[in-house]
């Protein structure tokens, strides 16, 4: 059952419109207000009006800076002085490093050895201290715990954290100002931090807005979780969208369960095709995870679903642009 | 001698602040108001504050749509009905096709056989009728003349036309509204249509703004022309920046002579490095010609020139983003 507007509160969920509004005030002077781009060619292809919210232009190259900034500037002085630690596929790590640098505190970042090179370089560029782990969730979390114990730093989880969710939710506040006509928002889903914030803010302001998740077939835990009515963790994931391999968390799951209208599952080849359209038509450099919203709006399971027939003005969050040019090229399979 | 503000008029030049203002009113509902992006990483590299005016996000993927739109909607009804014709390296051709389509008139486009594939496809996408020529200026102009005679269409030159110059000048009106603190504008130079409009508008509004041209070493006719005090046409050109191979025209030269403060000549490898920075840091997909302004602000001949030491707030026009991904990859020389 969908919650009604006045039931959205932090008593039940990890964030609400008030914590998202506070986040906006807190991070406003640090974040870019990213532009919304439109393209008549892509409108024609999708038979809708599309509004691309370009979070790939955000500082650090992804929306993650919003949540990281909100979390870091929420810390009290004593806590902050000991620094922060996280495990991340990369964009959150870079974002946290940058936000920590702005506050003048250390950021310890646990990164799997197989993370994309450009994401690792972003962490280094922003002054984060890298600690390597094996490329499994278990290894990442145990290494992070060790660092935590040694430094006394505050753990800033990439998505299962109310401060992070609130920071990401500021995107909705901007979209609704920049493109007030939208009736639908399509959001990449991984751990669920982004879509949780976006859905809470959008539905609080206008409960009739549809919020749709876009997820790769090879990491479709959100679709499976929605179908099962409980969190499903997959034994393994297999997708080109390296930023979308995480599973829903205890704080994001209730929000996804109650406020995400549907999960659109797309194939990797559809993601690659959408990436190519981003480069060639929008002129936006995007990573695979960032292009999945465009893949979703173009795919048959969206286009042919009568439930979404009246989605006319659709915001698509282009979530990040951190891609190795070499990997990109291989993806296009010349 | 530099002209003073009140001497800038259409009595002496092909455009002025009044014709540029008229162009803005005429094309306003058709063009994108492109965003201005900033990057602290690139500010640090250049030791200036940079404001990237993203004309690669313009309709058709380049600034050219502004001039094309102004020219086509300036035609009277009888003239318009016969259509328009042009010869172009590609971006003007696509832009003219799109503007013609919006007015519902035919566009005949003479394109050299070696033009980038994506530019040709843009022309086709927008409904332009392609007529092939050999890849020489002479062949392009003679084929265009033939089409002109057969159809009675109006020739819309890519740059040597007051309507085109006025349309491109609307970029300055937007920049000065979006980033009023700028003291310098760096503009790619080829035939000079873009920089002529930009310089006339900017200097009319604020004569102290420096306007600098960025030009590839292998097609440095503007630098040579400024040095010689007259138009220099080169026997051949050799640069990766395929959009910057044209020479100054009779209408653009006087404006470049009188209002462009200097021409910064850059090497192709500097253009490629700037392109890479656009992709990896700004997340903007750009063609080589489009990235030359960033190359200019980073090169030694700019950085070490005492004349430009106090250029602190610099607008850089990212002029276009139409690039074949394959060619791009080859350029990066993996």
């Amino acid at each position: 059952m969908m919650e009604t507007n006045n039931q959205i509160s932090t008593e039940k969920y990890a964030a609400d419109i008030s914590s998202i509004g506070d986040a906006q005030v807190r991070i406003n002077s640090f974040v870019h207000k990213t532009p919304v781009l439109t393209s008549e060619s892509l409108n024609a292809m999708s038979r809708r009006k599309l509004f691309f919210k370009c979070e790939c232009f955000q500082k650090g190259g992804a929306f993650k800076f919003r949540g990281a900034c909100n979390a870091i500037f929420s810390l009290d002085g004593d806590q902050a002085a000991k620094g922060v630690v996280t495990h991340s596929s990369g964009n959150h790590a870079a974002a946290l490093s940058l936000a920590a640098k702005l506050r003048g505190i250390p950021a310890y970042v646990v990164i799997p050895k197989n993370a994309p090179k450009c994401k690792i370089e972003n962490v280094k560029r922003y002054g984060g201290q890298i600690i390597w782990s094996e490329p499994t969730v278990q290894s990442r979390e145990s290494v992070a715990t060790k660092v935590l114990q040694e430094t006394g730093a505050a753990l800033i989880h990439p998505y299962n954290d109310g401060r992070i969710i609130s920071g990401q939710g500021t995107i909705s506040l901007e979209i609704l100002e920049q493109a007030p006509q939208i009736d639908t928002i399509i959001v990449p889903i991984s751990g669920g931090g982004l879509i949780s914030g976006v859905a809470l803010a959008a539905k609080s302001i206008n409960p009739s807005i549809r919020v749709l998740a876009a997820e790769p077939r090879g990491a479709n835990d959100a679709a499976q979780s929605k179908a099962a009515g409980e969190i499903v963790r997959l034994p393994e994931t297999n997708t080109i969208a390296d930023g979308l391999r995480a599973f829903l968390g205890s704080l994001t799951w209730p929000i996804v369960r109650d406020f995400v209208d549907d999960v659109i599952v797309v194939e990797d080849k559809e993601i690659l095709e959408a990436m190519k359209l981003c480069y060639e038509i929008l002129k936006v450099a995007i990573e695979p995870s960032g292009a999945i919203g465009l893949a979703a709006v173009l795919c048959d399971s969206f286009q042919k679903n009568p439930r979404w027939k009246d989605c006319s003005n659709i915001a698509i969050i282009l979530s990040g642009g951190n891609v190795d040019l070499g990997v990109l090229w291989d993806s296009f399979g010349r």
Side-chain angles (χ1 to χ4, degrees), chain A:
Chain A
M1 192 194 77
M2 188 62 66
E3 297 287 316
T4 59
N5 193 14
N6 56 12
Q7 289 175 284
I8 307 179
S9 77
T10 47
E11 286 172 35
K12 194 161 176 189
Y13 302 106
D16 63 12
I17 190 67
S18 162
S19 67
I20 294 166
D22 289 348
Q24 192 179 40
V25 172
R26 192 174 287 120
I27 70 179
N28 200 35
S29 63
F30 301 111
V31 302
H32 284 316
K33 183 173 177 179
T34 56
V36 168
L37 298 182
T38 61
S39 158
E40 286 176 20
S41 300
L42 294 176
N43 288 351
M45 284 180 70
S46 65
R47 286 170 288 184
R48 322 285 167 132
K49 284 194 179 162
L50 306 180
F51 300 85
F52 295 93
K53 177 66 170 165
C54 294
E55 283 296 298
C56 45
F57 301 152
Q58 189 51 263
K59 289 185 187 173
F63 72 93
K64 294 279 187 180
F65 182 65
R66 295 176 185 264
C69 218
N70 189 47
I72 282 189
F73 285 92
S74 297
L75 296 172
D76 70 37
D78 290 347
Q79 226 180 344
K82 293 177 183 165
V84 291
V85 58
T86 196
H87 47 84
S88 156
S89 72
N91 279 334
H92 172 68
L96 200 73
S97 302
L98 179 56
K101 188 177 163 194
L102 290 174
R103 189 153 179 191
I105 64 174
Y108 307 100
V109 178
V110 181
I111 297 188
K113 288 171 183 168
N114 64 345
K117 196 173 141 226
C118 68
K119 294 189 179 181
I120 296 164
E121 288 186 351
N122 273 347
V123 172
K124 289 183 184 166
R125 176 186 296 137
Y126 299 132
Q129 299 179 35
I130 293 175
I131 298 132
W132 299 103
S133 80
E134 297 306 313
T136 64
V137 174
Q138 292 75 7
S139 169
R140 284 155 67 175
E141 290 182 355
S142 73
V143 173
T145 304
K146 191 160 166 277
V147 176
L148 205 64
Q149 291 163 343
E150 287 171 3
T151 60
L155 178 70
I156 311 285
H157 192 279
Y159 52 88
N160 209 40
D161 183 312
R163 300 163 297 186
I164 296 291
I165 294 169
S166 298
Q168 322 305 29
T170 61
I171 295 172
S172 280
L173 305 185
E174 289 182 17
I175 293 177
L176 289 170
E177 183 201 320
Q178 293 168 307
Q181 66 272 58
I182 60 156
D183 51 48
T184 307
I185 310 181
I186 300 183
V187 192
I189 194 165
S190 181
L194 173 61
I195 200 168
S196 290
V198 165
L200 286 175
K203 300 248 183 188
S204 296
I205 293 166
N206 178 358
S208 73
I209 287 182
R210 266 80 44 116
V211 176
L212 305 177
E215 188 172 52
R217 174 82 56 200
N220 66 344
D221 63 296
Q224 292 193 36
S225 299
K226 290 278 276 185
E230 60 182 14
I231 299 184
V232 173
R233 293 172 76 94
L234 307 175
E236 59 180 10
T237 60
N238 179 19
T239 173
I240 191 175
D242 62 278
L244 301 181
R245 291 177 188 148
F247 304 137
L248 294 171
S250 58
L251 299 179
T252 54
W253 161 243
I255 303 172
V256 170
R257 180 192 63 206
D258 296 343
F259 300 104
V260 172
D261 295 277
D262 201 3
V263 181
I264 302 164
V265 176
V266 302
E267 309 299 332
D268 273 13
K269 68 173 164 44
E270 294 170 321
I271 295 174
L272 286 172
E273 187 52 37
M275 251 179 106
K276 205 171 173 188
L277 291 171
C278 285
Y279 277 78
E280 294 191 340
I281 296 185
L282 277 186
K283 316 301 178 191
V284 170
I286 199 131
E287 59 186 280
S289 309
I292 195 172
L294 177 58
V297 82
L298 294 174
C299 78
D300 276 358
S301 64
F302 176 84
Q303 287 283 330
K304 295 187 177 165
N305 188 332
R307 279 180 79 193
W308 316 129
K309 205 181 157 192
D310 63 341
C311 294
S312 306
N313 293 287
I314 304 178
I316 291 178
I317 300 181
L318 300 180
S319 54
N322 293 318
V323 67
D324 286 332
L325 289 174
V327 174
L328 167 69
W329 184 252
D330 291 341
S331 312
F332 288 139
R334 191 191 182 186

